Amino acid sequence: METVRFFEDTTIDDIPRVGGKGASLGELYHFLRPAGVPVPDGFTVTAAAFRQLLESAGLVPAITALLADLDPADVAELARRGKRIRDMVVAAPVPDGLRDDILAAYRTISAGHGGPLDVAVRSSATAEDLPDASFAGQHDSFLHIQGEAAVMDAVRRCWASLFTDRAISYRIYKGFEHMAVALAVVVQQMVRSDRATSGVMFTLDTETGFDGVVLVNAAYGLGEYVVKGEVSPDEFYVFKGTLDSAPCPVIRRALGAKRERLVYGAGAEPTGGEAVPDVDRWRFCLTDAQVLTLARYAVQAERHYSERAGHPVRLDLEWAQDGADGPFYVIQARAETVHSRARRSTMIRYRLTGSGPVLARGVAIGGGIATGIARVIRSDAELPSLKPGEVLVAETTDPAWEPIMKTAAGIITDKGGRTCHAAIVSRELGLTAVVGTGGATRAIRTGDPVTLHTVGGGEGVVYAGELPFTTETVSLAVGERPRTRIMMNLGNPNQAFEASRLPNDGVGLARLEFIISALIQAHPAALLHPEQVTDPAVRGAIVRLARGYADPAAYFVEKLAEGVGTIAAAFHPKPVIVRLSDFKSNEYANLLGGRDFEPHEENPMLGFRGAARYVSDSYREGFALECRAMRRVREDMGLTNVKLMIPFLRTVAEGDRVLARMAENGLRRGENGLEVYVMCEIPANVILAERFLERFDGFSIGSNDLTQLTLGVDRDSERVAGVFDERDDAVKTLISQAIRTARRMGRHVGLCGQAPSDYPDFAEFLVREGIESMSLTPDAILPITERVLAVEKGLATDAGAC
């Protein structure tokens, strides 16, 4: 009987012998090590060895009897029986031959390291890391174990952890026979990440299942804190589509709090926590180059596993950086277990229909909405007080809580990130969660009604009160596509991955305003010249926003580029038309520091906005930052599907000046395939359409402003709101003229206003006039696509009849 197997002798086919971790490490060893990717040395004590222990000690009948009639809902009885079984396993004598085999293997891997090797001893169940059951956190592992006696003790405790309360409950919940699951034990060279960094990677977005990215979570110290949710890690998204061709396809970064790190212990305990110095907390713990190295390792592993399986396999990987010699090690790889089994042919749309005060913000998990009465849990002893249907609020969660967690309506934690235990278990149980809030246990009291909103998968929000919401299941089945391109209006990057699932032809209007107001929050001039901001509190807020970046201006550029890059990556290689900023002066003034730089205007709608800003001296530096961000998206991220669009361009001469200003900032029309469109939203754009289109690559008709200026109606005024109608004959005449001119000149012409989303008959009018594309709100995509198809078929029938 084989009791020990070294990594180099193991493949993924050996899961029945060595469990999920042992098999994945063997597989990684075989294909990553020849590619130059560091993989730690080690071996696995096989499942057969565990079975030998149980049989030699005669434990199988006793364990079977203790588990036979167990009700996992009876937490006290579950704890009593679980402890009894674990005590029996730990006390069982290890057969001499088995002990000799384990210690001989330990001496073998220690031989090249000048003494007893420092190892991690990790559980590796034969039923873990399956597509429909991750077994995340169910069994125990032990770090910084050194010496033969310590290794044997850790192996015993790993064996016993097959019967933790949480593991017993999980097997019952998932329908696994207890004695059909065995536990192998991985003995693996420790990577000294206590002196560096560690974390988790997924080869998809964990909230939406979008598989075009690698998600990297990273923090200082040993990786257990990231996995357990003891820290809020830094977060990075890398776009796979340009990973091999672009200099830096890191499309999103989020700075985590990283308050603590797990390091080697100084006393009897092998590990212990310590505070991270502020200077390290407020910077990213990985450079972009390091993030890209990890992402390439993840993609290599994904390709290998997918080729081996004959179908795409998305992975959940753990990694660690060795502080002693610097390289990154991949220390585990397993199949992702939530989206791999989800139905991708439908989408559930959640809409919050009420509002309330915000209690907490954090990382959104689950992509839904949940309501309930809060129950704040501050210790294991309080856990039984959680009633089914309540919202669990805690500093963090523990794997031992899983029998109770599955009864909760939702989960809120102070600590943790997108790959922590609370997040993984919430997804697997289908729960909505907001993790890493920083202070929910202080802001929420037991008995408070709360609503968790995690739609979009970016920021999760906890509102006071049980707010009303609606749900709708939408079919994503892709049928016949119309000739008219159906594009999307989108401004929130957090919605991009999910929205890209809708049948579409790209993004016809990506607005910068949401990114600037919600994600950047500060006026570009205030970031460039914080010394000119008069309010000390605002200056302090700007300093806090820019933590982790080279300077406040770099913060603006990076955040803007990441917002646009996320949208462009979600829809790549389809076109994404990005409209440069079109704030009015009153809207700019509402940004942090804005009042120190913006003029007061009586009618901002017709004032200092759009192209007029770009060519002005007062906004020259701000426009340069926008251009830097767009260059980063197209050149560094490699997202050349981004096209740029100029809003509110009043004169042809102004258009020439805008193009010249863009060229000064490295955005020259025609270079690297750059197309520059202009909004057709002023009657002058239609009257002089030929002259505008000689300078630009196409028109995107903005029906909102065009209606306002054609009818002389202030679209923000309630008094004349009844006059505002895009379907007015005067407006439609101008739109028809713009379409005809653009088509005659061979230029693109589309429409990105609100009208076709609100009025299906207006969409029909556009199709009949020969529009090339129309850009719609996401909720209008499916019904308007059907309407457009019907109109096109009718036109084809009419043409055939003639």
Side-chain angles (χ1 to χ4, degrees):
M1 177 182 63
E2 184 182 46
T3 57
V4 169
R5 178 172 286 214
F6 290 96
F7 290 168
E8 57 262 45
D9 300 323
T10 307
T11 72
I12 201 69
D13 296 326
D14 292 311
I15 286 180
R17 300 181 186 85
V18 299
K21 288 188 183 70
S24 76
L25 283 163
E27 192 74 20
L28 289 168
Y29 190 101
H30 278 288
F31 81 90
L32 285 182
R33 180 158 285 191
V37 179
V39 179
D41 290 323
F43 64 91
T44 304
V45 181
T46 66
F50 175 69
R51 291 190 175 96
Q52 180 187 357
L53 173 82
L54 296 184
E55 290 168 2
S56 67
L59 295 181
V60 174
I63 293 173
T64 301
L66 283 167
L67 296 175
D69 59 349
L70 179 62
D71 178 6
D74 186 342
V75 178
E77 184 63 12
L78 171 64
R80 187 187 70 80
R81 297 193 194 186
K83 183 178 186 303
R84 184 175 174 186
I85 296 172
R86 292 192 298 275
D87 289 346
M88 290 163 54
V89 173
V90 169
V94 179
D96 289 341
L98 175 55
R99 176 187 174 87
D100 292 344
D101 289 346
I102 295 170
L103 294 181
Y106 176 64
R107 294 179 196 122
T108 297
I109 64 170
S110 298
H113 297 272
L117 185 62
D118 185 14
V119 294
V121 180
R122 310 174 70 192
S123 58
S124 181
T126 55
E128 70 182 9
D129 301 342
L130 302 176
D132 59 347
S134 68
F135 280 82
Q138 302 303 314
H139 311 114
D140 293 338
S141 294
F142 304 93
L143 306 179
H144 184 28
I145 303 299
Q146 194 165 22
E148 294 183 1
V151 167
M152 283 305 305
D153 178 65
V155 169
R156 286 174 179 269
R157 288 186 286 160
C158 274
W159 281 331
S161 75
L162 183 65
F163 303 102
T164 60
D165 302 349
R166 59 189 182 268
I168 294 169
S169 174
Y170 190 89
R171 287 195 295 272
I172 295 171
Y173 174 69
K174 288 290 187 179
F176 286 89
E177 290 290 336
H178 293 291
M179 301 313 296
V181 179
L183 199 79
V185 178
V186 169
V187 180
Q188 176 183 2
Q189 175 189 351
M190 275 293 293
V191 178
R192 293 300 305 269
S193 58
D194 60 306
R195 303 174 179 174
T197 60
S198 62
V200 177
M201 297 185 286
F202 279 79
T203 62
L204 47 58
D205 174 48
T206 52
E207 303 317 306
T208 64
F210 176 71
D211 59 10
V213 291
V214 176
L215 165 64
V216 180
N217 273 185
Y220 299 110
L222 299 170
E224 190 172 359
Y225 270 12
V226 175
V227 173
K228 287 188 173 181
E230 293 290 341
V231 295
S232 297
D234 293 340
E235 182 175 277
F236 307 86
Y237 280 89
V238 179
F239 180 50
K240 296 178 190 174
T242 57
L243 183 57
D244 294 332
S245 58
C248 189
V250 180
I251 61 170
R252 190 192 300 178
R253 298 185 295 171
L255 190 68
K258 306 185 300 293
R259 288 188 173 86
E260 295 180 283
R261 61 185 164 203
L262 186 66
V263 296
Y264 278 16
E269 293 297 323
T271 60
E274 68 176 24
V276 175
D278 284 349
V279 68
D280 292 327
R281 283 186 57 205
W282 297 117
R283 66 180 178 86
F284 290 103
C285 65
L286 296 177
T287 65
D288 284 347
Q290 291 173 326
V291 172
L292 294 175
T293 293
L294 287 168
R296 291 187 179 102
Y297 290 173
V299 170
Q300 281 182 267
E302 180 182 64
R303 287 172 181 163
H304 173 83
Y305 278 84
S306 297
E307 289 172 3
R308 213 177 189 287
H311 59 82
V313 176
R314 309 307 173 199
L315 297 179
D316 165 0
L317 306 102
E318 295 179 23
W319 61 271
Q321 182 186 19
D322 197 306
D325 55 5
F328 291 93
Y329 289 78
V330 179
I331 58 174
Q332 186 173 327
R334 58 189 175 200
E336 187 272 340
T337 59
V338 176
H339 294 287
S340 61
R341 56 191 174 91
R343 292 182 62 192
R344 305 295 292 168
S345 58
T346 60
M347 173 191 295
I348 300 177
R349 284 185 177 152
Y350 293 84
R351 289 186 180 86
L352 199 61
T353 56
S355 61
V358 174
L359 298 177
R361 298 178 185 272
V363 178
I365 306 297
I369 299 174
T371 63
I373 302 300
R375 174 73 61 177
V376 180
I377 302 295
R378 303 187 187 279
S379 68
D380 291 1
E382 296 180 357
L383 196 61
S385 66
L386 181 75
K387 299 174 183 176
E390 290 185 328
V391 174
L392 190 160
V393 184
E395 185 177 42
T396 187
T397 65
D398 186 274
W401 294 11
E402 283 185 33
I404 299 296
M405 284 172 66
K406 62 172 63 77
T407 71
I411 295 172
I412 305 169
T413 67
D414 289 345
K415 299 178 180 180
R418 213 172 291 281
T419 58
C420 73
H421 171 265
I424 290 174
V425 171
S426 293
R427 288 187 205 101
E428 195 166 303
L429 297 176
L431 298 177
T432 297
V434 179
V435 303
T437 63
T441 54
R442 297 188 298 274
I444 300 170
R445 297 169 300 179
T446 292
D448 288 347
V450 294
T451 297
L452 289 68
H453 183 277
T454 65
V455 177
E459 181 182 59
V461 182
V462 182
Y463 295 97
E466 294 191 59
L467 305 181
F469 65 94
T470 62
T471 63
E472 177 189 10
T473 300
V474 177
S475 172
L476 299 179
V478 178
E480 184 182 355
R481 297 296 296 159
R483 174 192 57 79
T484 307
R485 282 181 279 167
I486 304 299
M487 305 180 81
M488 195 177 303
N489 294 340
L490 193 64
N492 186 348
N494 292 331
Q495 297 174 354
F497 292 160
E498 182 75 358
S500 69
R501 295 176 60 199
L502 291 165
N504 70 85
D505 296 304
V507 176
L509 175 61
R511 302 180 180 93
L512 296 191
E513 290 79 31
F514 178 89
I515 300 171
I516 295 172
S517 62
L519 304 184
I520 297 174
Q521 303 178 37
H523 194 288
L527 292 167
L528 284 160
H529 302 289
E531 74 283 355
Q532 295 181 26
V533 176
T534 55
D535 187 336
V538 174
R539 287 200 302 272
I542 289 172
V543 169
R544 289 190 294 274
L545 282 174
R547 281 173 171 165
Y549 296 84
D551 54 57
Y555 162 78
F556 181 93
V557 171
E558 291 297 324
K559 295 298 282 187
L560 186 58
E562 289 167 7
V564 172
T566 297
I567 296 173
F571 290 85
H572 187 273
K574 299 171 184 174
V576 172
I577 302 172
V578 176
R579 186 182 70 186
L580 298 174
S581 66
D582 192 25
F583 278 125
K584 290 76 177 173
S585 55
N586 60 322
E587 295 168 335
Y588 259 125
N590 289 330
L591 298 173
L592 281 172
R595 300 193 185 282
D596 291 299
F597 299 95
E598 288 299 319
H600 172 73
E601 295 184 292
E602 294 299 330
N603 191 351
M605 189 72 75
L606 299 180
F608 190 42
R609 59 175 288 200
R613 279 187 174 269
Y614 310 159
V615 298
S616 69
D617 290 335
S618 62
Y619 193 70
R620 186 184 191 109
E621 291 178 300
F623 186 60
L625 294 184
E626 290 188 39
C627 291
R628 278 176 55 189
M630 296 308 100
R631 286 188 62 189
R632 171 149 170 66
V633 172
R634 287 180 49 84
E635 297 171 12
D636 294 346
M637 298 179 184
L639 294 165
T640 55
N641 59 320
V642 165
K643 306 173 189 291
L644 301 181
M645 184 159 65
I646 310 302
F648 222 74
L649 182 62
R650 292 177 168 98
T651 69
V652 173
E654 192 174 60
D656 290 335
R657 293 172 63 196
V658 169
L659 290 172
R661 187 65 56 88
M662 292 176 67
E664 289 173 14
N665 288 288
L667 292 172
R668 185 169 281 101
R669 177 181 165 230
E671 284 191 0
N672 194 26
L674 175 61
E675 293 184 10
V676 183
Y677 293 172
V678 63
M679 291 286 290
C680 180
E681 55 189 342
I682 300 171
N685 302 142
V686 181
I687 295 167
L688 298 179
E690 290 189 9
R691 293 176 61 186
F692 280 104
L693 290 171
E694 286 170 354
R695 290 158 171 80
F696 294 92
D697 294 291
F699 267 165
S700 186
I701 300 170
S703 58
N704 298 344
D705 272 325
L706 187 61
T707 301
Q708 170 180 245
L709 298 174
T710 301
L711 301 181
V713 178
D714 181 351
R715 60 187 171 102
D716 286 343
S717 171
E718 294 180 3
R719 291 179 178 269
V720 292
V723 182
F724 186 92
D725 189 345
E726 298 97 324
R727 296 168 295 176
D728 186 275
D729 285 343
V731 179
K732 291 169 71 174
T733 298
L734 288 178
I735 291 173
S736 297
Q737 185 177 333
I739 293 172
R740 287 196 302 270
T741 304
R743 290 179 66 87
R744 186 176 71 248
M745 295 183 66
R747 296 296 201 209
H748 169 80
V749 59
L751 187 140
C752 61
Q754 186 65 27
S757 297
D758 291 344
Y759 308 117
D761 59 318
F762 193 85
E764 289 188 21
F765 157 73
L766 293 174
V767 175
R768 294 181 187 281
E769 291 300 310
I771 198 85
E772 288 185 42
S773 68
M774 62 182 78
S775 196
L776 310 169
T777 56
D779 59 348
I781 290 282
L782 295 174
I784 297 301
T785 297
E786 292 179 5
R787 191 72 169 259
V788 168
L789 271 169
V791 174
E792 289 182 353
K793 289 178 179 178
L795 290 174
T797 300
D798 293 344
C802 293

